[in-house]
Amino acid sequence: RALKHMKKHWLSPFQTTLVSGLLACLSLTACGSTALSPAQMAPYSAQMQQMQAMRAPMLQAQSNPSQANAPIQVSFVKAYSRNTAENEAVTRKDPNSPGAMLVRLIDSARQTLDGSFYDIDSALIVEALIRAQKRGVRVRLVTDSDNITVKNSGPQGPPRPAIVALKKAGIPVIDDQRSGIMHNKFIVADGQSVWCGSTNLTDTSLYSHNNNALVLNSVQLAESYTNEFVRLFTHRIFGPNTPRTV
């Protein structure tokens, strides 16, 4: 019965065959039957290898510096270890991490960068944004009011160094000035590409947590995100808005 439900809602014919075999193995084991011989297990071993091959393209969906103009680039923080320090060490070396992908996009910008981020604190990203500003790119940012002061210092705490550095470089940073959370994580480059996903601009989010990021090379999508940015940055409208169409 469970297999019938799985076939209907989840599994391809190939996956159904594999699951059926595994369930049969479990049934034999539970009944105390003799374990299957290597010859009996061979068909299922081959199917397991086939499933791993099917997964390979998904695992290779990470962005690639040589595919910077692909319509969609995908990246994940490689936070697979139970140890946070190990996760950070691995991801900092990953040329296809969300942070590395974002830095490449920022460094490629020639005219504009419009970003809306809940939390901005990464020295790596702040430095990239300042570099862009210095080479003549117009950089504008929106963030949440809870994150313009030093972490855990409260709304009256000292200004956050990252925000101070951005403003000192001439980059305007607008905060939402309300109790509701401005939880966006996106940036539009030159009105053509969008970096977005679950990743905040903090070292913990960039290197230690299971986060994802996309680069969408689409003028149409970039326009939609830009409209949202203008609503926040220019008009200071942080409440409900009309639905967007793509």
Side-chain angles (χ1 to χ4, degrees), residues 14 26 28 117 139 150 180 197:
F14 159 69
L26 290 173
L28 289 170
F117 295 98
V139 183
V150 172

Side-chain angles (χ1 to χ4, degrees), residues 33-238:
S33 301
T34 303
L36 295 180
S37 68
Q40 291 172 310
M41 284 297 298
Y44 304 115
S45 297
Q47 289 171 346
M48 284 294 291
Q49 292 176 356
Q50 185 179 349
M51 179 171 279
Q52 290 174 349
M54 291 170 64
R55 292 179 65 240
M58 293 184 286
L59 296 175
Q60 294 170 1
Q62 296 270 90
S63 70
N64 188 316
S66 66
Q67 299 176 345
N69 295 322
I72 300 175
Q73 300 173 59
V74 184
S75 181
F76 301 93
V77 176
K78 293 182 177 178
Y80 305 131
S81 172
R82 299 181 68 178
N83 186 300
T84 301
E86 292 178 9
N87 289 334
E88 182 170 351
V90 170
T91 307
R92 281 188 180 276
K93 295 178 182 178
D94 179 13
N96 300 321
S97 69
M101 189 164 66
L102 176 56
V103 169
R104 283 197 295 274
L105 182 65
I106 294 172
D107 286 344
S108 72
R110 293 295 175 263
Q111 297 178 335
T112 60
L113 286 165
D114 292 331
S116 179
F117 295 98
Y118 170 70
D119 206 350
I120 304 173
D121 203 34
S122 165
L124 177 72
I125 307 303
V126 168
E127 289 168 2
L129 291 168
I130 292 174
R131 284 199 304 272
Q133 175 78 5
K134 288 182 177 180
R135 67 173 180 270
V137 176
R138 185 193 67 186
V139 183
R140 303 184 296 179
L141 297 171
V142 173
T143 192
D144 189 86
S145 295
D146 294 342
N147 295 317
I148 60 172
T149 58
V150 172
K151 286 185 180 295
N152 303 317
S153 66
Q156 305 304 319
R160 181 175 296 194
I163 302 298
V164 172
L166 290 166
K167 290 183 175 181
K168 185 177 180 180
I171 298 173
V173 182
I174 301 302
D175 60 285
D176 62 340
Q177 299 183 5
R178 62 177 188 144
S179 59
I181 294 176
M182 199 296 300
H183 212 233
N184 285 322
K185 296 107 176 167
F186 72 80
I187 192 166
V188 183
D190 293 337
Q192 297 182 354
S193 301
V194 181
W195 181 98
C196 59
S198 67
T199 312
N200 275 307
L201 304 189
T202 68
D203 286 352
T204 301
S205 188
L206 287 165
Y207 305 122
S208 300
H209 291 170
N210 287 126
N211 279 309
N212 66 82
L214 299 170
V215 168
L216 308 172
N217 291 309
S218 164
V219 173
Q220 194 172 9
L221 288 172
E223 181 180 4
S224 185
Y225 275 91
T226 297
N227 289 339
E228 177 67 6
F229 178 84
V230 169
R231 188 177 74 90
L232 303 176
F233 184 91
T234 304
H235 303 297
R236 307 294 202 276
I237 301 174
F238 289 90

Side-chain angles (χ1 to χ4, degrees), residues 2-12:
L3 180 59
K4 182 178 180 182
H5 177 80
M6 294 168 72
K7 288 168 65 178
K8 180 178 180 182
H9 295 282
W10 297 338
L11 303 180
S12 67

